[in-house]
Amino acid sequence: MPLSRHIDADSVIEQSKEHPHKKHLVHSRSGLHQSWSRDEDAQLVPKYELPAVGIPSRSAYHLIHDEMNLDGNPTLNLASFVHTWMPEEATKLIMETINKNAVDLDEYPASQVIHNRCVSMIANLWKAPKDAKAIGTATAGSSEAIMLGGLAMKKRWQEERKKAGKDYFHPNIVFGANAQVALEKFARYWDVEARLVPVHAETDFVMHPPDALQYIDENTIGVMVIMGSTYTGHFENVQLMNDLLDEHQAKTGLDIKIHVDAASGGFVAPFAYPTFKWAFDVPRVVSINTSGHKFGLVYPGLGWILWRDEKYLHKDLIFELHYLGSTEYSYTLNFSKPAAPIVAQMYNFLNLGFEGYRKIAIKDLRNARTLSRALEKTYFKVLSNIHKPAEKPATAVASEDDPENFQRGLPVVSFMLSDAFKAEYPHVQQVWIQSMLRGKGWIVPNYGAPPAEEKSEMLLRETLSADLIERLVTDILEVTEGLMSSGGLATMAAATSTVGLHQPDQVHGRPDQSNFADGAQGSGSEMGQSTYAKQC
């Protein structure tokens, strides 16, 4: 927790020294011989204010290095979609360009050329019309990209309302209650009413396009459709939403456009499902965002936002800047941004190509199916669908290497304890499984999801090999079976009472789930939490 300004740092440190758990520690080591003085240097550094005099560089490095060892292992962090590994050559390129500011066009023209080539490649990947002038930019992540996509919709709506002499002060935007918090941030930060469409188990916990129509009126600036739900990995139906909006326009005259939040799916769907229509080949889709630092396989943080044509990027968002001797055009929320992540994205495009990304997507989905089936055969119910056969398989003989033989989605495994298990072992809390897996090194969050159903989510990362998946399955089953015994329950109950183990809903859960279906409130029951995994 950050220190508040009113806290006296010196008193905090003194209280820390007087803590009963530290009464046996010796704070002075002046009598000990050291070959070098790292410990002594570290003792002199205040924790919560700038030191008056610095310490040697080697001591500063080791002090921070040792403290960072308290973090979890990124490879075993199954709680995040963010990528954590790149080849040695990519890391070398990043270090070579880490001091370059991508916004300085005169000083670093090659960085801008690489940026523009990335935008062009992504536009082509997303099937931008050849007769349109697609435009886009790199961002700090999908959150900034969503802000820009939403702002462009708001500005366009306001301009049309002003021309018609109508009220332009009460915009709203429509998206599912399963949306990632960045979508709600856009609405709150930019004074747009968020109209959350309730989601249901019958529709895979994602927005069902027919349900969205009742939330649309003349003040609607657009509909945001999610390609890859954070909760279960499902794709929302962009084409169906487009067709229903066509019918709605024919009845009401309202021309509602679509922004696709493809933070995760933007670098999965084109490779795993190349014939699937969801991008600029759907006429009402005017903008798409994605995260290069998710399935784009780049270190954090990098996002992308593209518009199908420059006319959808409202002129009010474009600033002409006379900076450092040149004229530049900016339409991002921030100004300076590092060139290194953009260079790393280009490295992946060149190194992997379409076929390389496709092979990774196929492997990711295959590993996720393996995990799904292993869990489903034991004590769990799997809610994600990528292991289930497609209604119309691509080939007569099912092939594990063709994602089209299975239902579409991200390589995500979302699961919960089965009804049969909960009936037989009613005192086993799902959060205990999360806590015990943490002891084995796995970071597997447990949180509530729409509509407050108990479930666990797992997202498998590219660096998680088949061997690690086997180890993960073994550890999950070992932990679960340990809790089934009376001894295991007693041990966990004792640990809960002594260390104050609690559910992490305040960390991982949504702050407000009142818009979810079935009247669910808050984070649901104590087992209504999820337990994550990662990207294969």
Side-chain angles (χ1 to χ4, degrees):
M1 176 183 296
L3 284 178
S4 300
R5 291 185 178 182
H6 69 277
I7 292 180
D8 180 5
D10 289 334
S11 65
V12 171
I13 295 171
E14 289 305 314
Q15 290 171 15
S16 175
K17 291 179 180 178
E18 295 169 3
H19 193 282
H21 292 175
K22 297 188 176 183
K23 64 184 179 181
H24 301 297
L25 295 181
V26 178
H27 294 285
S28 175
R29 300 183 182 178
S30 56
L32 298 179
H33 172 73
Q34 295 284 336
S35 58
W36 59 290
S37 59
R38 181 188 68 175
D39 291 346
E40 286 75 7
D41 292 335
Q43 283 185 354
L44 300 175
V45 178
K47 289 186 180 296
Y48 304 112
E49 58 185 45
L50 191 68
V53 179
I55 62 176
S57 57
R58 187 178 182 188
S59 297
Y61 166 79
H62 280 284
L63 179 63
I64 298 172
H65 172 81
D66 292 349
E67 192 163 329
M68 294 299 290
N69 283 332
L70 295 172
D71 278 346
N73 184 337
T75 301
L76 303 182
N77 176 15
L78 310 182
S80 171
F81 286 67
V82 177
H83 197 62
T84 61
W85 178 88
M86 293 193 75
E88 179 183 347
E89 294 80 6
T91 303
K92 184 178 180 182
L93 275 173
I94 289 170
M95 296 310 300
E96 290 172 356
T97 56
I98 201 167
N99 58 352
K100 293 187 178 182
N101 188 352
V103 79
D104 293 342
L105 306 187
D106 273 2
E107 290 76 9
Y108 312 118
S111 297
Q112 186 62 26
V113 170
I114 288 175
H115 171 277
N116 294 342
R117 287 172 62 195
C118 284
V119 170
S120 179
M121 290 179 180
I122 296 171
N124 183 64
L125 183 68
W126 290 346
K127 302 179 181 178
K130 299 299 181 183
D131 57 347
K133 297 180 180 179
I135 189 171
T137 182
T139 60
S142 272
S143 292
E144 182 189 359
I146 287 169
M147 301 289 170
L148 292 170
L151 277 172
M153 282 183 153
K154 179 183 177 181
K155 291 291 185 180
R156 184 172 175 269
W157 174 83
Q158 286 179 323
E159 183 177 62
E160 292 174 353
R161 298 284 288 182
K162 288 178 183 177
K163 288 179 180 178
K166 296 181 179 180
D167 169 73
Y168 57 90
F169 296 106
H170 301 90
N172 67 68
I173 193 162
V174 176
F175 50 81
N178 59 303
Q180 208 269 351
V181 71
L183 278 67
E184 295 183 57
K185 277 187 177 181
F186 158 72
R188 186 182 301 180
Y189 288 179
W190 304 104
D191 294 325
V192 177
E193 177 193 355
R195 294 188 171 179
L196 273 62
V197 182
V199 299
H200 306 270
E202 294 77 16
T203 56
D204 296 325
F205 310 101
V206 296
M207 181 182 71
H208 187 45
D211 295 341
L213 293 179
Q214 61 183 299
Y215 295 89
I216 293 172
D217 59 25
E218 65 178 358
N219 292 322
T220 301
I221 66 175
V223 178
M224 287 188 172
V225 183
I226 301 170
M227 276 294 292
S229 172
T230 303
Y231 294 101
T232 60
H234 288 91
F235 293 160
E236 293 181 346
N237 196 328
V238 182
Q239 183 65 63
L240 177 57
M241 190 75 255
N242 177 92
D243 297 344
L244 292 175
L245 290 174
D246 284 347
E247 296 174 6
H248 192 70
Q249 182 177 7
K251 295 176 183 177
T252 65
L254 297 176
D255 183 14
I256 308 298
K257 301 300 184 183
I258 296 172
H259 172 86
V260 177
D261 174 20
S264 299
F267 280 113
V268 173
F271 304 113
Y273 316 105
T275 62
F276 181 44
K277 283 193 171 185
W278 66 274
F280 291 129
D281 49 351
V282 178
R284 287 187 180 272
V285 174
V286 296
S287 53
I288 305 172
N289 70 274
T290 195
S291 293
H293 64 223
K294 291 189 175 76
F295 291 92
L297 308 182
V298 176
Y299 291 131
L302 175 68
W304 298 96
I305 171 74
L306 271 69
W307 290 268
R308 73 181 300 125
D309 191 281
E310 59 185 13
K311 68 181 180 182
Y312 294 108
L313 175 59
H314 197 274
K315 63 181 183 298
D316 282 357
L317 298 183
I318 303 174
F319 286 83
E320 180 178 310
L321 306 169
H322 300 279
Y323 183 68
L324 297 179
S326 66
T327 300
E328 303 170 5
Y329 297 93
S330 173
Y331 45 93
T332 53
L333 296 181
N334 64 323
F335 188 58
S336 294
K337 57 186 174 185
I342 299 169
V343 172
Q345 186 73 83
M346 177 57 74
Y347 169 85
N348 277 346
F349 287 169
L350 298 178
N351 180 238
L352 294 172
F354 185 94
E355 196 57 33
Y357 270 101
R358 177 168 169 79
K359 287 179 179 178
I360 289 173
I362 289 172
K363 185 191 72 171
D364 289 355
L365 290 162
R366 184 172 60 239
N367 286 344
R369 285 194 292 273
T370 298
L371 178 58
S372 297
R373 290 165 183 158
L375 293 170
E376 209 161 45
K377 289 178 180 178
T378 56
Y379 313 111
F380 302 94
K381 176 183 178 181
V382 176
L383 301 177
S384 47
N385 66 350
I386 46 88
H387 65 298
K388 299 175 183 177
E391 292 183 9
K392 295 180 180 179
T395 57
V397 179
S399 168
E400 285 291 317
D401 286 334
D402 190 348
E404 294 285 7
N405 286 321
F406 304 90
Q407 295 186 33
R408 299 186 185 99
L410 300 177
V412 167
V413 182
S414 176
F415 64 97
M416 58 182 274
L417 288 169
S418 68
D419 293 338
F421 182 94
K422 288 185 287 185
E424 187 170 356
Y425 305 98
H427 301 298
V428 175
Q429 297 183 34
Q430 192 164 281
V431 69
W432 292 355
I433 297 175
Q434 173 206 24
S435 300
M436 295 182 73
L437 284 172
R438 186 61 184 261
K440 293 178 176 290
W442 301 103
I443 302 173
V444 185
N446 189 71
Y447 64 88
E453 295 249 353
E454 307 98 61
K455 71 182 184 181
S456 306
E457 283 192 12
M458 289 201 170
L459 172 65
L460 307 173
R461 77 164 54 250
E462 200 273 328
T463 51
L464 201 62
S465 65
D467 288 341
L468 278 178
I469 291 174
E470 181 180 342
R471 182 69 256 171
L472 174 61
V473 171
T474 301
D475 286 343
I476 290 174
L477 296 182
E478 183 179 287
V479 162
T480 305
E481 290 173 357
L483 291 172
M484 291 161 60
S485 67
S486 58
L489 285 174
T491 301
M492 201 64 209
T496 302
S497 62
T498 55
V499 303
L501 180 64
H502 63 283
Q503 298 165 70
D505 56 304
Q506 70 273 22
V507 177
H508 298 290
R510 292 170 57 89
D512 180 10
Q513 299 186 3
S514 58
N515 292 296
F516 293 156
D518 303 327
Q521 299 289 329
S523 60
S525 69
E526 62 184 6
M527 293 176 65
Q529 312 293 317
S530 125
T531 314
Y532 241 166
K534 228 176 198 176
Q535 166 191 349
C536 277

